[in-house]
Amino acid sequence: MILPKVRDPRFVTIRRGGTLTDADHRLLALWAASCAEHVLGLFESARPEDPRPRQAVEHARAWVCGDVRMMEARAAGGHAMGAARDLRGAARHAAYAAGQAGAVAHVAAHELGAAAYAIKAARAAAPAGESETAGRLECRWQRDQLPESIRELVLDDQRLRNDICWSVFDC
């Protein structure tokens, strides 16, 4: 499970009673898409004929631009997760990262799922004995991609949800 039992109002848009601005929601979606895309090759090398995870990342970005509706981005995320189901290891985690990125349009808190699954993918793809180092490097790369306006929000979210995200944010 990667979502908290109680929704953090900082990840609920203002129009729905939270404090998240639409601009920051879009930044979270773009960051999640970048995290997922960074490891997407791990899925595509295992299943080059399956476009669903890439489509989820593309739909996340298209939602930010207003080119697709939230339900389309969310559905693409679900299809990416479907692509993961019969896989194991890095390819599976990379597809789940893409699925989580697609779901950010619907629930902003999925941003951390995209990042966590990407870190798990990097760990799983690493040579024996190097998984922890690979995970820390991926985590640091992701943090370097954070826009300044959402940086503290995401870093605090990582601290709060690290334990339900497989402790991947210890970097």
Side-chain angles (χ1 to χ4, degrees):
M1 175 167 147
I2 56 161
L3 291 176
K5 291 180 181 179
V6 177
R7 290 186 70 187
D8 185 334
R10 298 175 303 163
F11 290 91
V12 177
T13 57
I14 292 168
R15 69 182 168 287
R16 297 200 182 266
T19 60
L20 184 65
T21 65
D22 288 340
D24 284 349
H25 190 178
R26 289 188 294 271
L27 288 174
L28 289 168
L30 288 174
W31 179 71
S34 293
C35 291
E37 188 172 49
H38 196 237
V39 297
L40 195 54
L42 298 170
F43 172 83
E44 291 175 332
S45 65
R47 293 281 167 83
E49 73 290 348
D50 191 340
R52 293 177 291 175
R54 180 157 303 275
Q55 288 170 344
V57 170
E58 290 169 355
H59 274 70
R61 288 196 173 108
W63 172 78
V64 168
C65 297
D67 294 336
V68 302
R69 296 170 50 113
M70 176 275 293
M71 292 298 288
E72 294 172 275
R74 182 177 119 183
H79 294 307
M81 288 187 236
R85 286 193 183 104
D86 68 335
L87 296 171
R88 296 289 172 260
R92 179 185 178 109
H93 299 313
Y96 276 136
Q100 292 289 311
V104 173
H106 180 247
V107 174
H110 281 289
E111 106 296 349
L112 215 56
Y117 276 112
I119 293 168
K120 284 181 64 115
R123 284 179 171 180
E130 296 180 28
S131 66
E132 290 302 314
T133 299
R136 280 193 298 278
L137 289 172
E138 183 65 22
C139 180
R140 289 179 192 142
W141 179 89
Q142 291 175 358
R143 288 179 178 177
D144 287 344
Q145 310 314 303
L146 278 167
E148 195 57 39
S149 64
I150 62 168
R151 182 175 183 73
E152 285 308 311
L153 173 66
V154 172
L155 293 178
D156 190 49
D157 196 25
Q158 288 180 346
R159 284 187 289 275
L160 291 173
R161 289 201 278 159
N162 191 39
D163 59 331
I164 63 171
C165 291
W166 313 285
S167 299
V168 298
F169 299 114
D170 293 332
C171 64

